[in-house]
Amino acid sequence: MGPRATLVPVRHVIALDVGGTGMKAALVGPAGELLHRARRATGRERGPEAVVEEILDFAAELRAHGARQLGKPAAAAGVAVPGIVDEERGVAAYSANLGWRDVPLRELLAHRLGAPVALGHDVRTGGLAEGRIGAGRGADRFLFVPLGTGIAGAIGIGGRVEAGAHGFAGEVGHIVVRPGGTACPCGQRGCLERYASAAAVSEAWAAASGNPDADAADCAKAVESGDPNAVRVWQDAVDALADGLLTALTLLDPRTLIIGGGLAEAGETLFTPLRDAVRRRVTFQKLPTIVPAALGDSAGCLGAGLLAWDLLDTTPTTPEEPT
């Protein structure tokens, strides 16, 4: 028998995207290749301490997998989490979904993994991936706006995403577009996300159609079939969105505007009227390219990988397309 083949160690990082109910993870190689993927529930029904322990255990498992299958443990880790995140101190400050407050997640993970860790906000991390390797690839200035349960934003500048002085940069969903309008849980009235999020469109269409189970996707289908009620509901949302985006464009002057989230799945049913509505509103502002997000729900995980490689000053440039 010949000598036993030795495994050539593969340098890689851990990428972890923590959601409200589940976690997505990958081991990512130096050229952005996805060497291993895994998913796990957060276990939030067992409380915030259990969620933190689940994250630490999952990361440790990923480290062990890398050591076993790739010949060495991960060189760094990137983690994206929801809620309020102090990226500079590496603290998960608050998450309504996960119930935690002031968790020193970066320090806990670095201790468990024996490697440097970058902690990022889920939307900003997803925006980093979209801007650098997704729909905004090559744009020096971009704005990523996912339209989901709420409306968030990520401001991309020179290949990085701006967090702001206190971690609140990019909250475009709380631009007031209808002064004195619908109350928002944030304490203001008339916020953009009360009119143009996927949740807001679902609510408006459920009321207009008389079907409490109807959602934004149903509204988009009804728009495509020419239902006048659906067209009215949809156009109201598009107009509110265009009003909010105009304020964002005036402040930020992005080259590319990337729209993602559930509402963007309507494709040209959203993008054709939205481009028209924004075009009608601009005066001196330069019209950005308005494009759909490209990475889907892989964005957070891919962005976490970028954060990890950034710690090591080796940024992937040719990632594998998500399947």
Side-chain angles (χ1 to χ4, degrees):
M1 283 183 56
R4 212 173 139 196
T6 27
L7 182 67
V8 177
V10 178
R11 195 161 184 252
H12 64 279
V13 298
I14 292 168
L16 183 54
D17 179 20
V18 179
T21 57
M23 298 184 275
K24 293 187 284 289
L27 297 181
V28 185
E33 64 275 29
L34 300 174
L35 304 169
H36 171 69
R37 295 203 212 201
R39 286 176 182 255
R40 186 190 274 202
T42 56
R44 65 175 177 169
E45 65 285 348
R46 290 183 284 119
E49 290 81 10
V51 170
V52 173
E53 203 48 52
E54 202 69 45
I55 292 168
L56 295 175
D57 285 350
F58 194 24
E61 263 182 37
L62 292 159
R63 180 187 188 278
H65 181 92
R68 195 171 57 247
Q69 300 294 327
L70 301 172
K72 63 195 295 189
V79 186
V81 297
I84 299 167
V85 183
D86 184 334
E87 292 166 11
E88 206 169 298
R89 291 193 306 129
V91 172
Y94 174 71
S95 168
N97 277 339
L98 297 174
W100 62 33
R101 281 184 184 275
D102 298 319
V103 179
L105 203 50
R106 182 174 67 197
E107 185 187 320
L108 292 170
L109 278 162
H111 179 72
R112 181 70 71 96
L113 296 172
V117 175
L119 186 69
H121 178 267
D122 57 353
V123 173
R124 287 196 288 271
T125 303
L128 177 69
E130 281 291 355
R132 205 186 283 179
I133 61 177
R137 186 191 290 226
D140 54 343
R141 299 282 191 285
F142 69 86
L143 176 62
F144 169 56
V145 181
L147 309 171
T149 306
I151 295 179
I155 302 163
I157 302 169
R160 301 200 173 274
V161 172
E162 172 59 41
H166 310 96
F168 291 111
E171 289 289 350
V172 296
H174 298 289
I175 291 172
V176 173
V177 293
R178 300 290 179 264
T182 306
C184 180
C186 81
Q188 301 184 120
R189 301 187 76 86
C191 287
L192 174 60
E193 71 175 42
R194 303 305 301 142
Y195 298 89
S197 62
V201 174
S202 293
E203 198 179 310
W205 179 234
S209 65
N211 175 4
D213 298 324
D215 63 11
D218 297 323
C219 186
K221 285 188 198 109
V223 168
E224 287 154 20
S225 66
D227 182 316
N229 268 343
V231 170
R232 176 182 51 78
V233 167
W234 195 257
Q235 195 58 50
D236 285 350
V238 167
D239 285 339
L241 183 56
D243 288 340
L245 291 175
L246 183 69
T247 297
L249 302 184
T250 305
L251 287 170
L252 301 171
D253 186 27
R255 201 171 302 282
T256 305
L257 175 55
I258 306 163
I259 307 290
L263 216 55
E265 287 168 19
E268 286 309 312
T269 303
L270 174 68
F271 284 91
T272 297
L274 179 60
R275 289 184 185 112
D276 289 345
V278 173
R279 192 179 295 112
R280 284 198 308 273
R281 284 162 172 76
V282 298
T283 54
F284 67 90
Q285 302 91 342
K286 290 291 182 190
L287 197 63
T289 306
I290 302 176
V291 296
L295 303 175
D297 70 355
S298 302
C301 201
L302 290 167
L306 292 172
L307 290 179
W309 281 114
D310 282 357
L311 283 178
L312 304 168
D313 295 319
T314 312
T315 306
T317 52
T318 52
E320 167 189 302
E321 284 299 307
T323 51

